[in-house]
Amino acid sequence: MLGLARLGLLGFGGVGPQAYHAFVTRSAWLSIDDFAEGYSLAQALPGANVVNLCAIMGDRWFGPVGAVAAVCAITVPPLVIVLVAAAAIAHVTRAPRFVAAESAIVAASAGLLFATAYRVFSTIVRRRALGLVIAGAVALAVGLHAVSMPVATLVGVAAGFGIDVFTRARP
Amino acid sequence: MNDESVLLQLAVRIAGLSLVAVGGGNALIPALHDEAVSTLHWVSEARFVEAVGLSQAAPGPNMLLIPLIAWQTAGVAGATVALVAFLLPSSTIAILGSRFLARHERSPLVAAFKWALRPVTGGLMVSSAVVLIETAARTWPEPAKFVPGLVTLLAVGVAVASVRSKLNPLVWLAAAALIGVLV
């Protein structure tokens, strides 16, 4: 749980890439394959991705109590910090350099997301070409603001599921 | 409105958002803006933008934007209500969904479903990254012609560096912050 609290305190600009580092690279709590599976499920269901992932893993390892503890560990400490920060800056104007650093952090967290997407993709062992086409279509449709994320998720998963089921070699 | 009705409204509306929040905290920003600023007037446009910037730059999941907005609306009680209202429905669904899949692990349909999730996950991550790059370019102070190029270069550089090393991702975020201060 301390590991999760630490994760909550470190995840700037979204916690996905930090979660990968904490769960897979540093602690080996999960294999890269387990991470991709858990995160995929967490992202396809409604709610915050990493919070869902923590709920799923907490439940799997320690049951419902573990799930509640994991969700609290990942959300409460950073919430306290965010509220204290919000109260602190409510009445000051921020220096442009500080804002530029904030923007640069947001850009860098985009880079970390690219890297995590690459790792998730590297866990797809069969039908990679089809997977790449679906991933590209989803990225384009949502990235160009043509389709909302829930719609793209639904259509993308349904398409992949349908194609995989109906084109699988019959025994 | 009195305090209790504000808290009740926060709880009901945010629990509703929780059920449609596919794709994570950042995907939720437009829907939250509709509710919080346009429809229900919890906060002003300026406070909303400030909260978005803060939730991105501060540590923690981006969904903390929701309790942050609720805090601006109704203080610590609002933030607490918002946190529980957002987490309870979605976490319950996640746990039940995960248990269901674990129970039917051997079914070929479940295997196909799990296979279909991964490319979509990768694609959504890429599109979220694109949205973050746009945000970074927009929020950079004194926008100049080179800014979109600079933030894109930063993102691509961090992506390559992160794939090739096992260093803590914070190293790259700190390096980017330094570049932001110096440029």
Side-chain angles (χ1 to χ4, degrees), chain A residues 27-117:
Chain A
S27 66
W29 285 347
L30 296 177
S31 71
I32 179 170
D33 204 53
D34 290 337
F35 178 83
E37 185 182 312
Y39 201 91
S40 294
L41 184 61
Q43 187 161 42
L45 295 171
N49 301 334
V50 173
V51 178
N52 278 349
L53 181 65
C54 289
I56 290 170
M57 292 306 158
D59 179 60
R60 192 169 292 175
W61 291 328
F62 304 109
V65 177
V68 171
V71 167
C72 290
I74 190 80
T75 54
V76 173
L79 177 61
V80 171
I81 291 188
V82 167
L83 292 187
V84 169
I89 67 158
H91 304 289
V92 290
T93 36
R94 290 179 293 164
R97 281 182 175 234
F98 181 73
V99 180
E102 268 184 9
S103 302
I105 289 178
V106 171
S109 48
L112 294 180
L113 262 183
F114 282 134
T116 311

Side-chain angles (χ1 to χ4, degrees), chain A residues 8-15 18 21 25 33 36-37 39-41 43-49 51-52 55-56 59-60 64 67 71 74-75 78-79 82-83 86-87 89 96-97 99-120 123-124 126-127 130-131 134-135 138-139 142-143 145 149-150 153 156-157 160-161 164-165 168, chain B residues 18-25 27 50 53-54 56-64 67-68 71 79 83 86-87 90-91 93-95 97-99 101 108-109 111-136 139-142 151 154-155 158-159 162-163 165-170 172-173 176-177 180-182:
Chain A
L9 292 175
L10 293 184
F12 291 84
V15 209
Q18 268 292 344
H21 183 76
T25 314
D33 204 53
E37 185 182 312
Y39 201 91
S40 294
L41 184 61
Q43 187 161 42
L45 295 171
N49 301 334
V51 178
N52 278 349
I56 290 170
D59 179 60
R60 192 169 292 175
V71 167
I74 190 80
T75 54
L79 177 61
V82 167
L83 292 187
I89 67 158
R97 281 182 175 234
V99 180
E102 268 184 9
S103 302
I105 289 178
V106 171
S109 48
L112 294 180
L113 262 183
F114 282 134
T116 311
Y118 169 81
R119 291 190 181 109
V120 166
T123 64
I124 301 177
R126 59 190 177 91
R127 299 198 148 178
L130 177 61
I134 293 175
V138 168
V142 180
H145 307 287
M149 278 198 178
T153 305
V157 172
F161 178 79
D164 194 46
V165 168
R168 188 177 289 172
Chain B
S18 171
L19 295 174
V20 295
V22 173
E50 183 187 295
L54 195 62
Q56 293 285 343
N62 291 335
M63 55 73 53
L64 292 180
L68 181 56
W71 174 80
L83 188 67
F86 187 77
L87 293 179
S90 58
S91 297
I93 292 175
I95 290 168
S98 155
R99 286 184 177 180
L101 290 184
L109 291 182
F113 177 70
K114 284 181 177 172
W115 180 87
L117 285 181
R118 290 189 195 195
V120 173
T121 299
L124 286 180
M125 282 180 170
V126 169
S127 64
S128 298
V130 170
V131 172
L132 284 183
I133 290 175
E134 288 171 358
T135 308
T139 55
W140 201 283
E142 305 153 43
V151 292
L154 260 177
V158 168
S162 167
V163 164
S165 86
K166 286 193 169 187
L167 286 179
N168 190 308
L170 277 183
W172 310 119
L173 295 183
V181 170
L182 294 179

